[in-house]
Amino acid sequence: MIKVCELVKRRPGMSVEDFGRHWREVHGPIVSALPGLRRYVQNHPLPGAYRNGEPVYDGVAELWLDDKDALRAMATTPEFAAAKVDEPNFIDTTALIELVVDEVVIKAGPVAALPGEAPGIKSIGFVRFRPDLDPGEARRYWREVHGPIAAGIDVLRRYTQNQVRPGAYGDGRRPAWDGMAMTWFDSTDDMRASATTEAYRATITDGPLLLASPVTPTLLCRELVMVA
C-alpha cells in the first residue's frame, strides 16, 4: 500500500468557511471518483487553529492506493485531470505540497470504517529531521526508538508515522518535511492530559536526538472520511 499526503493552503482571499465547504462538497466527490483509490480522508483544522493567526496549513488530504503503479495509472485518467482543474478554485496551488509516504503504525487503534466525520480529534505534527542525520537512519530511529516512547502515552488512541519515501532524497534533495506524526485522541481533554504523563515527558526529552527543532508545527483536526 502507498499513501499520498497533500498539504494545502486555501486560495488567497477565500474565507476559511468557503474553503472548507468547497473541499468537502465539491472537490471531495471529484477525488472520491479517482480510479484505484482505496481510502481518502480530509483533515479539517479545528476552529481554534485560527485563534492566534494562520495555521501552518488549512488542511491535509490523505489518499491510499495499492502501489506506485496504481498511482501512475491514476495520474493518466480524466478523473485525475478533473481534480487538478478544480484545485485553483479553492487551493493556493503555489503552496501545495505533495508527499508520498509509507504509513507505519506505531500504536494500533480503530479507524473509521464508514464515510463521514470520525469521532475524536487528530493531531498532525510536521516532522523535520536533524540535518546531520542520514535520512534512512533517522527514519529507523523514529520508527524503532522515538515512536515506541510516545506510544506509551495511555490516552493516545492511535499513532502512525507517515515517513517520506527514500526516493524523495535523491540527488541531494530534501523534501519539505521528512514525515508527519499523526495521533488520535478521544477528546481535547485527553490530548491535554497526555502532556502531563511521564511518557510524554520522555518523548520530549528524546526529541533533540531526532528532530531539527524542539518545536514541531502541529495541526489539530477533525477527520472527514470520504472513501473508506
Side-chain angles (χ1 to χ4, degrees), residues 190-208:
D190 278 0
M191 186 192 69
R192 294 189 188 100
S194 74
T196 68
T197 64
E198 188 59 40
Y200 178 84
R201 287 188 285 272
T203 304
I204 296 301
T205 299
D206 186 68

PDB file of all heavy atoms in Angstrom, residues 190-208:
ATOM      1  N   ASP A 190      -8.457  14.678  26.678  1.00  0.00           N
ATOM      2  CA  ASP A 190      -7.479  13.584  26.695  1.00  0.00           C
ATOM      3  C   ASP A 190      -6.144  14.042  26.119  1.00  0.00           C
ATOM      4  O   ASP A 190      -5.075  13.656  26.618  1.00  0.00           O
ATOM      5  CB  ASP A 190      -8.009  12.394  25.891  1.00  0.00           C
ATOM      6  CG  ASP A 190      -8.957  11.526  26.692  1.00  0.00           C
ATOM      7  OD1 ASP A 190      -9.202  11.843  27.878  1.00  0.00           O
ATOM      8  OD2 ASP A 190      -9.464  10.541  26.134  1.00  0.00           O
ATOM      9  N   MET A 191      -6.205  14.845  25.068  1.00  0.00           N
ATOM     10  CA  MET A 191      -4.967  15.338  24.465  1.00  0.00           C
ATOM     11  C   MET A 191      -4.202  16.191  25.473  1.00  0.00           C
ATOM     12  O   MET A 191      -2.979  16.050  25.619  1.00  0.00           O
ATOM     13  CB  MET A 191      -5.263  16.135  23.208  1.00  0.00           C
ATOM     14  CG  MET A 191      -4.014  16.552  22.448  1.00  0.00           C
ATOM     15  SD  MET A 191      -4.375  17.772  21.174  1.00  0.00           S
ATOM     16  CE  MET A 191      -4.792  19.193  22.201  1.00  0.00           C
ATOM     17  N   ARG A 192      -4.901  17.070  26.170  1.00  0.00           N
ATOM     18  CA  ARG A 192      -4.240  17.901  27.186  1.00  0.00           C
ATOM     19  C   ARG A 192      -3.679  17.036  28.309  1.00  0.00           C
ATOM     20  O   ARG A 192      -2.569  17.273  28.805  1.00  0.00           O
ATOM     21  CB  ARG A 192      -5.225  18.920  27.751  1.00  0.00           C
ATOM     22  CG  ARG A 192      -5.696  19.973  26.756  1.00  0.00           C
ATOM     23  CD  ARG A 192      -6.501  21.065  27.454  1.00  0.00           C
ATOM     24  NE  ARG A 192      -7.114  21.961  26.479  1.00  0.00           N
ATOM     25  CZ  ARG A 192      -8.383  21.879  26.092  1.00  0.00           C
ATOM     26  NH1 ARG A 192      -9.165  20.939  26.599  1.00  0.00           N
ATOM     27  NH2 ARG A 192      -8.865  22.724  25.210  1.00  0.00           N
ATOM     28  N   ALA A 193      -4.430  16.030  28.696  1.00  0.00           N
ATOM     29  CA  ALA A 193      -3.971  15.143  29.767  1.00  0.00           C
ATOM     30  C   ALA A 193      -2.703  14.400  29.365  1.00  0.00           C
ATOM     31  O   ALA A 193      -1.855  14.098  30.219  1.00  0.00           O
ATOM     32  CB  ALA A 193      -5.072  14.153  30.137  1.00  0.00           C
ATOM     33  N   SER A 194      -2.561  14.109  28.078  1.00  0.00           N
ATOM     34  CA  SER A 194      -1.370  13.377  27.625  1.00  0.00           C
ATOM     35  C   SER A 194      -0.092  14.135  27.940  1.00  0.00           C
ATOM     36  O   SER A 194       0.959  13.526  28.176  1.00  0.00           O
ATOM     37  CB  SER A 194      -1.474  13.097  26.126  1.00  0.00           C
ATOM     38  OG  SER A 194      -1.254  14.276  25.363  1.00  0.00           O
ATOM     39  N   ALA A 195      -0.175  15.474  27.945  1.00  0.00           N
ATOM     40  CA  ALA A 195       1.016  16.288  28.178  1.00  0.00           C
ATOM     41  C   ALA A 195       1.485  16.246  29.629  1.00  0.00           C
ATOM     42  O   ALA A 195       2.563  16.773  29.940  1.00  0.00           O
ATOM     43  CB  ALA A 195       0.741  17.728  27.757  1.00  0.00           C
ATOM     44  N   THR A 196       0.710  15.641  30.515  1.00  0.00           N
ATOM     45  CA  THR A 196       1.101  15.541  31.921  1.00  0.00           C
ATOM     46  C   THR A 196       1.717  14.191  32.258  1.00  0.00           C
ATOM     47  O   THR A 196       2.088  13.954  33.405  1.00  0.00           O
ATOM     48  CB  THR A 196      -0.129  15.757  32.828  1.00  0.00           C
ATOM     49  OG1 THR A 196      -1.037  14.652  32.675  1.00  0.00           O
ATOM     50  CG2 THR A 196      -0.847  17.055  32.479  1.00  0.00           C
ATOM     51  N   THR A 197       1.841  13.313  31.266  1.00  0.00           N
ATOM     52  CA  THR A 197       2.302  11.946  31.536  1.00  0.00           C
ATOM     53  C   THR A 197       3.814  11.831  31.461  1.00  0.00           C
ATOM     54  O   THR A 197       4.495  12.629  30.795  1.00  0.00           O
ATOM     55  CB  THR A 197       1.674  10.960  30.535  1.00  0.00           C
ATOM     56  OG1 THR A 197       2.136  11.271  29.216  1.00  0.00           O
ATOM     57  CG2 THR A 197       0.154  11.053  30.568  1.00  0.00           C
ATOM     58  N   GLU A 198       4.330  10.818  32.126  1.00  0.00           N
ATOM     59  CA  GLU A 198       5.764  10.555  32.082  1.00  0.00           C
ATOM     60  C   GLU A 198       6.205  10.164  30.674  1.00  0.00           C
ATOM     61  O   GLU A 198       7.295  10.530  30.220  1.00  0.00           O
ATOM     62  CB  GLU A 198       6.109   9.439  33.068  1.00  0.00           C
ATOM     63  CG  GLU A 198       7.610   9.216  33.244  1.00  0.00           C
ATOM     64  CD  GLU A 198       8.341  10.458  33.737  1.00  0.00           C
ATOM     65  OE1 GLU A 198       7.797  11.165  34.599  1.00  0.00           O
ATOM     66  OE2 GLU A 198       9.464  10.718  33.240  1.00  0.00           O
ATOM     67  N   ALA A 199       5.357   9.424  29.949  1.00  0.00           N
ATOM     68  CA  ALA A 199       5.704   9.023  28.583  1.00  0.00           C
ATOM     69  C   ALA A 199       5.833  10.242  27.674  1.00  0.00           C
ATOM     70  O   ALA A 199       6.710  10.284  26.801  1.00  0.00           O
ATOM     71  CB  ALA A 199       4.651   8.060  28.041  1.00  0.00           C
ATOM     72  N   TYR A 200       4.966  11.231  27.874  1.00  0.00           N
ATOM     73  CA  TYR A 200       5.067  12.463  27.079  1.00  0.00           C
ATOM     74  C   TYR A 200       6.379  13.178  27.384  1.00  0.00           C
ATOM     75  O   TYR A 200       7.082  13.635  26.469  1.00  0.00           O
ATOM     76  CB  TYR A 200       3.885  13.373  27.378  1.00  0.00           C
ATOM     77  CG  TYR A 200       3.931  14.696  26.644  1.00  0.00           C
ATOM     78  CD1 TYR A 200       3.458  14.810  25.342  1.00  0.00           C
ATOM     79  CD2 TYR A 200       4.462  15.838  27.250  1.00  0.00           C
ATOM     80  CE1 TYR A 200       3.504  16.019  24.660  1.00  0.00           C
ATOM     81  CE2 TYR A 200       4.522  17.043  26.582  1.00  0.00           C
ATOM     82  CZ  TYR A 200       4.032  17.134  25.298  1.00  0.00           C
ATOM     83  OH  TYR A 200       4.095  18.331  24.628  1.00  0.00           O
ATOM     84  N   ARG A 201       6.720  13.294  28.663  1.00  0.00           N
ATOM     85  CA  ARG A 201       7.971  13.956  29.034  1.00  0.00           C
ATOM     86  C   ARG A 201       9.170  13.214  28.454  1.00  0.00           C
ATOM     87  O   ARG A 201      10.145  13.830  27.994  1.00  0.00           O
ATOM     88  CB  ARG A 201       8.076  14.070  30.560  1.00  0.00           C
ATOM     89  CG  ARG A 201       7.137  15.113  31.143  1.00  0.00           C
ATOM     90  CD  ARG A 201       7.404  15.343  32.620  1.00  0.00           C
ATOM     91  NE  ARG A 201       6.901  14.259  33.439  1.00  0.00           N
ATOM     92  CZ  ARG A 201       5.666  14.211  33.922  1.00  0.00           C
ATOM     93  NH1 ARG A 201       4.802  15.177  33.651  1.00  0.00           N
ATOM     94  NH2 ARG A 201       5.277  13.198  34.679  1.00  0.00           N
ATOM     95  N   ALA A 202       9.106  11.884  28.443  1.00  0.00           N
ATOM     96  CA  ALA A 202      10.204  11.109  27.854  1.00  0.00           C
ATOM     97  C   ALA A 202      10.291  11.346  26.348  1.00  0.00           C
ATOM     98  O   ALA A 202      11.394  11.396  25.782  1.00  0.00           O
ATOM     99  CB  ALA A 202       9.993   9.622  28.147  1.00  0.00           C
ATOM    100  N   THR A 203       9.147  11.499  25.698  1.00  0.00           N
ATOM    101  CA  THR A 203       9.119  11.776  24.261  1.00  0.00           C
ATOM    102  C   THR A 203       9.776  13.112  23.971  1.00  0.00           C
ATOM    103  O   THR A 203      10.586  13.242  23.027  1.00  0.00           O
ATOM    104  CB  THR A 203       7.671  11.776  23.745  1.00  0.00           C
ATOM    105  OG1 THR A 203       7.050  10.534  24.067  1.00  0.00           O
ATOM    106  CG2 THR A 203       7.629  11.984  22.238  1.00  0.00           C
ATOM    107  N   ILE A 204       9.456  14.132  24.762  1.00  0.00           N
ATOM    108  CA  ILE A 204      10.043  15.459  24.574  1.00  0.00           C
ATOM    109  C   ILE A 204      11.546  15.416  24.826  1.00  0.00           C
ATOM    110  O   ILE A 204      12.341  16.028  24.089  1.00  0.00           O
ATOM    111  CB  ILE A 204       9.366  16.474  25.509  1.00  0.00           C
ATOM    112  CG1 ILE A 204       7.882  16.632  25.146  1.00  0.00           C
ATOM    113  CG2 ILE A 204      10.079  17.822  25.447  1.00  0.00           C
ATOM    114  CD1 ILE A 204       7.624  17.099  23.738  1.00  0.00           C
ATOM    115  N   THR A 205      11.956  14.686  25.836  1.00  0.00           N
ATOM    116  CA  THR A 205      13.385  14.572  26.147  1.00  0.00           C
ATOM    117  C   THR A 205      14.148  13.920  25.007  1.00  0.00           C
ATOM    118  O   THR A 205      15.290  14.303  24.693  1.00  0.00           O
ATOM    119  CB  THR A 205      13.576  13.760  27.445  1.00  0.00           C
ATOM    120  OG1 THR A 205      12.938  14.441  28.525  1.00  0.00           O
ATOM    121  CG2 THR A 205      15.054  13.581  27.766  1.00  0.00           C
ATOM    122  N   ASP A 206      13.533  12.947  24.356  1.00  0.00           N
ATOM    123  CA  ASP A 206      14.193  12.229  23.260  1.00  0.00           C
ATOM    124  C   ASP A 206      14.206  13.036  21.961  1.00  0.00           C
ATOM    125  O   ASP A 206      15.027  12.770  21.083  1.00  0.00           O
ATOM    126  CB  ASP A 206      13.480  10.894  23.016  1.00  0.00           C
ATOM    127  CG  ASP A 206      14.204  10.029  22.000  1.00  0.00           C
ATOM    128  OD1 ASP A 206      15.309   9.550  22.311  1.00  0.00           O
ATOM    129  OD2 ASP A 206      13.664   9.842  20.891  1.00  0.00           O
ATOM    130  N   GLY A 207      13.334  14.011  21.839  1.00  0.00           N
ATOM    131  CA  GLY A 207      13.182  14.756  20.592  1.00  0.00           C
ATOM    132  C   GLY A 207      14.465  15.301  19.994  1.00  0.00           C
ATOM    133  O   GLY A 207      14.698  15.166  18.780  1.00  0.00           O
ATOM    134  N   PRO A 208      15.364  15.948  20.772  1.00  0.00           N
ATOM    135  CA  PRO A 208      16.580  16.525  20.184  1.00  0.00           C
ATOM    136  C   PRO A 208      17.508  15.510  19.520  1.00  0.00           C
ATOM    137  O   PRO A 208      18.368  15.882  18.723  1.00  0.00           O
ATOM    138  CB  PRO A 208      17.263  17.178  21.393  1.00  0.00           C
ATOM    139  CG  PRO A 208      16.145  17.481  22.340  1.00  0.00           C
ATOM    140  CD  PRO A 208      15.187  16.339  22.180  1.00  0.00           C
TER     141      PRO A 208
END
